[in-house]
Amino acid sequence: MVVQTEAFIMLSMVLFVLGTLGVLLKRNAILVFMSIELMLNATNLAIAAFAHQWGQVDGHLFVFFIITVAAAEVAVGLALIVAIFRAKRSINIDELHQMEG
Amino acid sequence: MVEIWPFVIVGAIAVAAAVLMLLEENAVHSALYLIVVMACISFLFLLLNAPFLAMIQLTVYAGAIMVLFLFVIMLLGAEKVLPADPGQGKNRMRWFTPLAVILTVGLLFVIGTPLLVGDSDERLAAQPMVRVLNVAPDAGIIDVYAGDELIASGLAFGDASPLVTLAAGEQAISIVESAADQAGAQAASTLTLEPDSVQTIIAYGTGEQPTLALVAEDLSSVPDRSSRVTVFHANPEAPTVSFVDFGAEFVEDDTQVLLADLAPGERAEPVILREGEVDWAVVDASNHANVLYDMPDFEIARDRSDLIVIAGQRIFDGSLRTVAVPVETPAEPTFGSPRAIGFELFTTYMLPFQLLAMLLLAAMVGAIVLTHREPDKSRRRVIGRRRVSRPLTSVIASQVGTDITTANGSPAQLPDADAVGK
């Protein structure tokens, strides 16, 4: 028995939705950030599945680019979190409702 | 195609690890569960014929990025985040949790619906790729048109044009002498192009009007360190031929027949050959001693899909000589291999790649700017002044009991012994 592309998309969709839940429900800024990474991974899986279906290597390039952008985003995002922690002594996102700098 | 059991097992592990990541209170444990998810996705990439992505996923994502996450969690001591202000925060945000769940279920529904109602079995066929090879001995230099579109120009004997994309279906191919009007076509023929194929139009045959033949080519990937060779016989004056390999130079009787009995106008089945030098010859099929064309030290490179056309060429006395014209084409790299991705990256995706490099540079600068802290100058000045402002005079003054520093901070004259009375 073989796996169709749909199965990969289903799995990717479930992981994406779990990531969304994490972004919406978690209070720890680092965990919110990790949930975003989970969402990115889920989309990567979907793109790779489509690339496999169509036999086009372009999808792999996009996944490669997404991974690279994610690396850059993590560097900047964690730098932001460290800066916020210095200012507020906390990374609970509930305490960040005032944009006073 | 992908087997179902590895997919089900690894997929289940991935979903379970993602759920545990969300339920876990400790951020370090969450990060470890996320690493499990990423390892599972890397495995799924392997199932999807993407070994390069699997490698990148493991090294960059599960390795580098997660190390960064764990480092920041431990640096900030953020394993557990307590609610900021339990009473007030909870009351204000109580409606948030069910709303988030409802929105997420809605998202699941919206993404899932097209999967269930759509049909995804038809794939679009690619357009055919076509090139032209001129091996007609009497045609001179030719231009080739498909309908009104010029697809090749200035082809002398033995020249092949680059591959061009044409619409599938019937195409009226006409050949004219170069720099002549299209109306004076030398040869015209209607050829049917199959979609998703690579075809070579071969103009051959003696006389002013060459014959056109359509030869389908296979440019799919070849095994390691080998090449594919396809032979087409395009010399109607020559007899049925065979392709022989003479083998090693000093070894008797190791001559092998590569292709037997190829009649004019016929295409042989492609053969896969290992790279290296070979001593080939085109011989008369009925009499192997009659060598029509000798190809000593013919080099077979790797990863190519070559077409060898046996043609007739006019030589100085006007007679036809049999020659073999090789048309070299790189074979397509294996799908998903680092080579295929590198090829795309350095051709089609060069500009996005460089933009990405700029983005990474910006991220690097951004990370430095965001976390850079100005050295605290005021504090250092205070420490410095204190050091300077405890000279010997102040020590003496504290023992003597007299303030001997003036208001502007400069040491005053030491008091006389008489005035102090000691």
Side-chain angles (χ1 to χ4, degrees):
Chain A
M1 195 167 171
V2 294
V3 183
Q4 301 293 318
T5 309
E6 283 90 338
F8 280 96
I9 307 303
M10 288 281 187
L11 177 63
S12 146
M13 181 177 80
V14 169
L15 288 178
F16 186 86
V17 165
L18 285 173
T20 321
L21 268 179
V23 170
L24 291 178
L25 293 179
K26 281 290 172 180
R27 298 274 73 87
N28 187 335
I30 291 183
L31 271 171
V32 170
F33 209 29
M34 274 162 49
S35 302
I36 295 176
E37 294 303 311
L38 181 61
M39 291 164 78
L40 281 174
N41 266 279
T43 51
N44 279 353
L45 183 62
I47 295 173
F50 285 130
H52 181 252
Q53 184 189 9
W54 298 100
Q56 297 278 321
V57 85
D58 301 54
H60 292 183
L61 265 299
F62 280 102
V63 174
F64 176 70
F65 287 151
I66 289 174
I67 290 177
T68 325
V69 170
E73 172 229 323
V74 164
V76 175
L78 288 180
L80 269 174
I81 288 178
V82 169
I84 290 170
F85 184 79
R86 272 187 193 151
K88 297 256 178 186
R89 309 308 298 170
S90 166
I91 48 168
N92 187 333
I93 51 170
D94 279 347
E95 293 184 5
L96 303 179
H97 48 83
Q98 286 163 318
M99 297 291 282
E100 57 203 346
Chain B
M1 275 294 125
V2 187
E3 285 295 318
I4 190 112
W5 284 115
F7 171 79
V8 168
I9 293 167
V10 175
I13 294 174
V15 172
V19 169
L20 284 172
M21 174 194 136
L22 295 181
L23 294 180
E24 188 61 55
E25 287 292 315
N26 191 326
V28 176
H29 294 179
S30 288
L32 295 179
Y33 280 124
L34 186 56
I35 292 178
V36 173
V37 177
M38 285 168 176
C40 289
I41 288 181
S42 164
F43 184 85
L44 293 174
F45 280 158
L46 278 183
L47 289 186
L48 287 168
N49 277 347
F52 180 71
L53 289 188
M55 205 164 66
I56 292 279
Q57 175 84 11
L58 268 187
T59 53
V60 176
Y61 245 130
I65 293 183
M66 290 317 290
V67 164
L68 210 57
F69 268 110
L70 283 171
F71 173 72
V72 170
I73 292 172
M74 299 315 288
L75 176 76
L76 303 184
E79 289 98 331
K80 288 192 171 74
V81 168
L82 299 168
D85 186 3
Q88 186 206 357
K90 271 277 188 295
N91 283 336
R92 205 176 47 195
M93 291 294 182
R94 184 164 290 165
W95 51 273
F96 194 86
T97 306
L99 180 72
V101 173
I102 291 169
L103 280 177
T104 319
V105 171
L107 179 65
L108 196 66
F109 183 72
V110 167
I111 311 174
T113 314
L115 275 181
L116 299 177
V117 300
D119 56 333
S120 60
D121 47 358
E122 272 307 306
R123 60 166 291 184
L124 296 166
Q127 288 193 313
M129 306 276 281
V130 177
R131 68 178 162 199
V132 185
L133 173 68
N134 176 16
V135 286
D138 305 320
I141 297 173
I142 58 170
D143 288 350
V144 183
Y145 290 84
D148 290 330
E149 189 189 349
L150 181 69
I151 57 172
S153 64
L155 294 181
F157 180 85
D159 283 353
S161 68
L163 285 165
V164 291
T165 307
L166 284 181
E170 293 200 338
Q171 286 279 356
I173 307 289
S174 52
I175 287 182
V176 297
E177 205 166 326
S178 200
D181 192 83
Q182 198 189 343
Q186 290 181 335
S189 174
T190 304
L191 302 173
T192 308
L193 302 177
E194 298 288 327
D196 203 9
S197 64
V198 180
Q199 319 248 8
T200 302
I201 298 167
I202 298 177
Y204 70 100
T206 54
E208 287 296 307
Q209 290 215 333
T211 318
L212 293 181
L214 198 62
V215 175
E217 285 199 68
D218 183 5
L219 296 188
S220 58
S221 61
V222 291
D224 266 355
R225 292 165 174 273
S226 58
S227 270
R228 180 187 292 107
V229 174
T230 313
V231 180
F232 181 75
H233 189 348
N235 185 4
E237 310 288 319
T240 302
V241 298
S242 290
F243 242 69
V244 295
D245 183 352
F246 284 139
E249 203 171 335
F250 300 109
V251 183
E252 291 286 328
D253 299 331
D254 64 339
T255 303
Q256 287 180 329
V257 180
L258 282 173
L259 300 165
D261 303 332
L262 194 61
E266 262 187 4
R267 188 197 79 147
E269 280 303 305
V271 285
I272 303 279
L273 298 163
R274 287 188 65 79
E275 68 173 344
E277 282 194 346
V278 289
D279 280 336
W280 280 353
V282 181
V283 297
D284 190 338
S286 54
N287 175 16
H288 280 198
N290 181 14
V291 175
L292 298 172
Y293 185 70
D294 199 11
M295 301 163 76
D297 302 335
F298 183 74
E299 196 183 344
I300 299 176
R302 65 172 75 172
D303 299 326
R304 279 219 305 252
S305 188
D306 291 348
L307 175 70
I308 295 179
V309 176
I310 300 165
Q313 185 180 23
R314 287 265 176 245
I315 52 173
F316 56 92
D317 60 356
S319 63
L320 273 179
R321 180 182 67 136
T322 302
V323 293
V325 179
V327 182
E328 295 171 352
T329 322
E332 282 170 6
T334 319
F335 173 73
S337 67
R339 187 165 159 254
I341 292 177
F343 183 78
E344 281 288 312
L345 195 59
F346 285 103
T347 52
T348 322
Y349 290 94
M350 196 64 206
L351 183 65
F353 185 60
Q354 293 192 337
L355 290 177
L356 202 63
M358 292 302 294
L359 183 76
L360 283 172
L361 182 67
M364 221 181 285
V365 174
I368 292 173
V369 167
L370 284 171
T371 48
H372 180 62
R373 201 159 30 174
E374 281 290 316
D376 204 342
K377 281 175 187 159
S378 60
R379 213 150 114 226
R380 186 179 294 169
R381 207 176 297 136
V382 167
I383 295 166
R385 189 187 295 153
R386 196 177 296 146
R387 263 196 211 126
V388 176
S389 67
R390 287 195 56 87
L392 193 57
T393 50
S394 68
V395 177
I396 293 168
S398 69
Q399 289 190 350
V400 169
T402 313
D403 184 14
I404 55 165
T405 50
T406 57
N408 61 9
S410 63
Q413 292 285 317
L414 279 174
D416 298 338
D418 296 345
V420 176
K422 284 182 182 173

